[in-house]
Amino acid sequence: MNNQIPVKDVTPVKVHKPKKSNQDQNYTPRSRIYVRAVEGTFETIRRFFGLIFLGIFAVIPWIPYNGAQAVLLDIGEQRFTIFSMTLWPQDLTLLAWLLIVSAYALFFVTTFAGRVWCGFMCPQTTWTFIYIWFEEKIEGARNKRMKLDQRPMDFDKFWRKTLKHTSWVVVALLTALTFVGYFTPIDQLFIDFFTFNVSFWAGFFVIFFTVCTYGNAGWMREVMCTHMCPYARFQSAMFDKDTFTVAYNPNRGEQRGPRPRKVPHEELADKGLGDCIDCNLCVQVCPTGIDIRNGLQYECINCGACVDACNGVMEKMNYPKGLISFTSEHELKGGKTDIVRPKLIGYAIVLLVMTALLAFEIMTRSSLEVDIIRDRNSLYRVTNQGLVENVYTLKILNKSQEARTYTISVTGLDSYEFFGDQVVQVAGGEVFSLPVSVATDTVNLDGRVTDIYFRVQTQDLDGNLIEVDEPTRFLYK
């Protein structure tokens, strides 16, 4: 019998710790990050997506449809209009399905390409870069902005700072007005706000979101990504060794160090140098202020700014591009990325199933809903003709946007007398209350409780029959 205890390798894992450079020795979490402008492929893609989604956000509230605002989420009336579809609180399941689909889409994309949502489409990133653009146009490039902040206040600094913050406030105000315009008619909102006739709550939320936008994009910036956004914290649960993410290739870049351009790339190994010239441009262009050369960090938002900056340097040095690139851990170790893998396939299947269920829910959604409220004063009464009578209130909800005519009948009784309107017209998006009563002879009843149905019928614009049978009870004794 072998009593030898197996030996396990417990060699400590080398952890990447941030190395203080000459530029950030005095950096604290509250220090200002001066982001340097960069040009390149990923910057162009980021601007493209930013402009597309910013344009969609700004234009949608202004689109008219059937004489009204196409998208209006009226919380006060509990009615959410999206073009030809009107949603009510009863349609909350659609929102649940939409959130589930969005979550799995985020999981799928993150597993495949890392935090590209954060770097290319997140509103915080988009508005932050808009604010940085104003900052750069008014105060100058990175070095000029740093020198300007170190100078004592003079007229040049005063007017530049004033113009910059005024531009920020204008962008924040337009953003807030547009956002609130999704919940109240936007054309009237603009008129009322600038003529000081806006309602209290509309004005409050415009000011509130103006302050939030100004503070988030102008002052907090990377703090939102590194300390407040929960997505930065749980992203690691979706990453694997085949996830494409922004990474530095240390095998190619080390040892880093400055060198003249005339040194051929082929002679670098003989001089003990890698491709990294230690220019720190990758740090200067990073909106979260990290050094990508220290390895994967949760602060990285995968915006690709460091990729563009490094590729520009490599091009000037006549070195191959890709020292910093979107790559996977397997590729960095010399292997091959396995794109089709069980985890990614699982997310894709669930995403397709949830999307199909959402589409099914929308297609099978009825534009008619009926609720029945029994009379609470008495369970029943006996008429002069000896019939048993029950009183109800029908709530007919017309979920469409056009007026419709509804026909009401009762099933479950062999014969009955109906007291009340059996044909009513309900305007689009309205709830119609109809008090009715049903009377019948006791021989038609099953006992103390008889199950009956109120059948409400109508036709849509195409002539298709829409029918709802709402169950209730007919009581006696």
Side-chain angles (χ1 to χ4, degrees):
M1 182 177 181
N2 187 2
N3 295 325
Q4 183 177 1
I5 300 176
V7 178
K8 183 178 181 181
D9 185 7
V10 292
T11 304
V13 178
K14 183 179 179 180
V15 178
H16 290 286
K17 295 183 178 180
K19 298 178 182 179
K20 295 290 184 180
S21 65
N22 295 331
Q23 301 180 17
D24 60 0
Q25 288 180 354
N26 297 323
Y27 176 79
T28 65
R30 301 299 301 173
S31 294
R32 176 79 177 277
I33 295 178
Y34 295 87
V35 180
R36 181 171 182 153
V38 63
E39 299 290 338
T41 302
F42 292 107
E43 177 66 11
T44 302
I45 295 174
R46 188 192 58 75
R47 290 179 182 177
F48 172 78
F49 279 106
L51 288 174
I52 290 295
F53 283 96
L54 181 62
I56 293 174
F57 166 76
V59 169
I60 283 180
W62 295 98
I63 299 176
Y65 185 83
N66 287 341
Q69 188 169 318
V71 177
L72 182 60
L73 312 177
D74 194 335
I75 297 179
E77 296 293 333
Q78 297 184 347
R79 180 172 58 194
F80 312 126
T81 303
I82 304 175
F83 290 89
S84 62
M85 183 169 60
T86 301
L87 301 178
W88 297 80
Q90 294 88 338
D91 299 311
L92 190 62
T93 52
L94 288 177
L95 177 61
W97 283 115
L98 181 62
L99 293 176
I100 293 172
V101 170
S102 300
Y104 276 102
L106 190 64
F107 297 162
F108 175 79
V109 173
T110 302
T111 301
F112 178 73
R115 293 178 64 184
V116 290
W117 161 261
C118 296
F120 292 87
M121 289 174 284
C122 176
Q124 174 69 18
T125 302
T126 301
W127 263 260
T128 295
F129 276 106
I130 291 174
Y131 274 38
I132 291 175
W133 183 86
F134 277 102
E135 193 173 57
E136 181 179 321
K137 295 302 179 183
I138 296 172
E139 296 184 354
R142 179 177 183 271
N143 292 335
K144 291 183 178 180
R145 299 201 302 271
M146 295 174 67
K147 292 179 180 179
L148 182 68
D149 286 346
Q150 294 171 0
R151 280 166 39 189
M153 182 62 68
D154 54 19
F155 178 75
D156 180 68
K157 182 175 181 178
F158 175 77
W159 80 261
R160 291 182 185 275
K161 292 292 184 181
T162 302
L163 182 59
K164 180 187 75 171
H165 287 283
T166 301
S167 303
W168 286 2
V169 171
V170 170
V171 172
L173 179 60
L174 292 176
T175 301
L177 284 168
T178 302
F179 183 74
V180 176
Y182 278 83
F183 303 91
T184 187
I186 192 170
D187 50 355
Q188 192 62 41
L189 174 65
F190 269 75
I191 295 174
D192 291 344
F193 184 83
F194 289 109
T195 57
F196 304 101
N197 291 320
V198 69
S199 65
F200 171 78
W201 285 113
F204 169 80
F205 282 111
V206 168
I207 299 300
F208 175 76
F209 288 116
T210 298
V211 173
C212 289
T213 304
Y214 172 78
N216 289 346
W219 293 96
M220 300 184 70
R221 293 187 179 177
E222 78 286 345
V223 176
M224 291 291 297
C225 303
T226 57
H227 297 289
M228 300 181 69
C229 179
Y231 183 45
R233 302 296 178 175
F234 68 75
Q235 63 162 338
S236 58
M238 291 170 275
F239 279 22
D240 55 38
K241 294 184 178 181
D242 293 299
T243 299
F244 287 102
T245 185
V246 174
Y248 165 75
N249 189 345
N251 297 326
R252 176 184 158 187
E254 303 298 330
Q255 291 286 334
R256 68 183 77 157
R259 80 291 304 273
R261 291 189 186 181
K262 62 183 180 180
V263 177
H265 183 260
E266 295 77 11
E267 298 181 8
L268 293 180
D270 297 335
K271 295 182 178 294
L273 293 173
D275 285 358
C276 180
I277 67 173
D278 204 19
C279 62
N280 278 323
L281 284 181
C282 57
V283 180
Q284 296 175 17
V285 301
C286 180
T288 59
I290 65 171
D291 189 341
I292 194 65
R293 295 170 297 181
N294 291 328
L296 180 63
Q297 299 151 72
Y298 76 88
E299 297 93 341
C300 178
I301 61 173
N302 272 24
C303 65
C306 56
V307 178
D308 287 332
C310 186
N311 284 342
V313 173
M314 294 295 103
E315 187 175 6
K316 292 178 181 179
M317 297 295 295
N318 293 319
Y319 295 171
K321 296 180 181 180
L323 178 59
I324 301 176
S325 62
F326 274 87
T327 185
S328 67
E329 186 177 344
H330 277 159
E331 286 190 7
L332 285 177
K333 294 181 178 180
K336 184 179 180 181
T337 302
D338 186 8
I339 296 179
V340 182
R341 52 194 188 273
K343 184 177 181 180
L344 197 62
I345 294 175
Y347 280 138
I349 292 175
V350 176
L351 177 60
L352 290 175
V353 171
M354 295 301 171
T355 304
L357 290 174
L358 173 62
F360 176 78
E361 187 81 10
I362 294 175
M363 290 187 295
T364 58
R365 172 181 174 271
S366 175
S367 60
L368 169 63
E369 186 163 323
V370 179
D371 288 329
I372 301 176
I373 303 174
R374 287 189 51 84
D375 183 16
R376 298 180 180 179
N377 294 324
S378 61
L379 297 180
Y380 71 94
R381 73 183 185 90
V382 179
T383 67
N384 295 331
Q385 291 77 22
L387 302 178
V388 180
E389 182 181 30
N390 281 204
V391 179
Y392 308 89
T393 299
L394 273 63
K395 297 282 188 178
I396 302 175
L397 173 57
N398 181 4
K399 293 184 178 181
S400 68
Q401 295 180 358
E402 67 276 352
R404 288 182 177 176
T405 301
Y406 296 91
T407 303
I408 304 159
S409 59
V410 176
T411 61
L413 293 175
D414 293 335
S415 64
Y416 64 88
E417 291 188 19
F418 191 96
F419 301 96
D421 295 332
Q422 287 191 269
V423 178
V424 296
Q425 187 174 45
V426 183
E430 297 294 335
V431 179
F432 187 82
S433 295
L434 178 65
V436 300
S437 62
V438 178
T440 187
D441 194 286
T442 56
V443 298
N444 298 319
L445 301 176
D446 296 335
R448 297 182 59 184
V449 178
T450 302
D451 293 328
I452 65 173
Y453 295 85
F454 278 94
R455 175 170 293 173
V456 182
Q457 296 176 317
T458 187
Q459 289 183 338
D460 59 17
L461 295 178
D462 297 327
N464 299 318
L465 178 65
I466 300 175
E467 181 180 275
V468 171
D469 286 333
E470 187 67 18
T472 186
R473 291 180 174 181
F474 193 95
L475 303 180
Y476 176 58
K477 289 187 179 180

